[in-house]
Amino acid sequence: QVQVVESGGGSVEAGGALTLSCTASGFDLDDYAVGWFRQAPGLEREEGEGVSCINWDGSKTFVPKFLKGRFTASRDNAKNTAYLQMDNLKPEDTAMYYCAAAAYYNDYDGCTYVKHWGQGTLVTVSS
């Protein structure tokens, strides 16, 4: 059974840090790029935004300019797991964060053609 499971969300104060994990089962995660997307409260998932993408072997990462320096993507293919390190969190980072296995990575807008979505993990940042 194909599954993507996120973990590591929670509540933190502004300035804090969290590391999200994304573990795949039923398929090899290294066949895919891995993207992290977030959906702010009140929006549909389709209205969310990509916050990172990492290519299949971890040699390339994409983070939007407005998050560079705070969000870092990584992966451990031996564990079939990818990560999103989030530092200096701000209240506007509050959202449901989704991991996705995607067919393609590019340096301009990250992950495209998502094949498998996780169910999401909630991150709440208080001021």
Side-chain angles (χ1 to χ4, degrees), residues 7 9 16 20 29-31 34 37 39 41 54 57 62-63 69 80 85 92 95 97-98 105 110 113-114 116 119:
S7 61
L20 306 184
L29 195 59
D30 60 7
D31 286 338
V34 176
F37 300 82
Q39 172 195 352
I54 187 166
D57 66 355
F62 168 85
V63 176
N80 230 30
Q85 173 69 38
E92 53 263 41
Y97 284 72
Y98 296 92
Y105 166 93
Y113 293 96
V114 171
H116 307 295
Q119 292 301 304

Side-chain angles (χ1 to χ4, degrees), residues 7 30 55 79 122:
S7 61
D30 60 7
N55 75 330
K79 295 181 179 180
L122 182 63

Side-chain angles (χ1 to χ4, degrees), residues 15-69:
L18 283 174
T19 300
L20 306 184
S21 298
C22 168
T23 299
S25 59
F27 67 99
D28 291 328
L29 195 59
D30 60 7
D31 286 338
Y32 299 89
V34 176
W36 287 93
F37 300 82
R38 69 184 182 187
Q39 172 195 352
L43 298 180
E44 299 295 328
R45 192 177 71 185
E46 293 73 21
E47 299 173 287
E49 59 186 355
V51 298
S52 76
C53 181
I54 187 166
N55 75 330
W56 73 276
D57 66 355
S59 62
K60 298 182 180 181
T61 60
F62 168 85
V63 176
K65 288 183 180 179
F66 67 95
L67 293 175
K68 277 190 175 179

Side-chain angles (χ1 to χ4, degrees), residues 11 13 52 59 69-70 73 93 99 125:
S11 297
E13 294 185 350
S52 76
S59 62
R70 296 199 299 121
D93 295 319
C99 174
V125 184

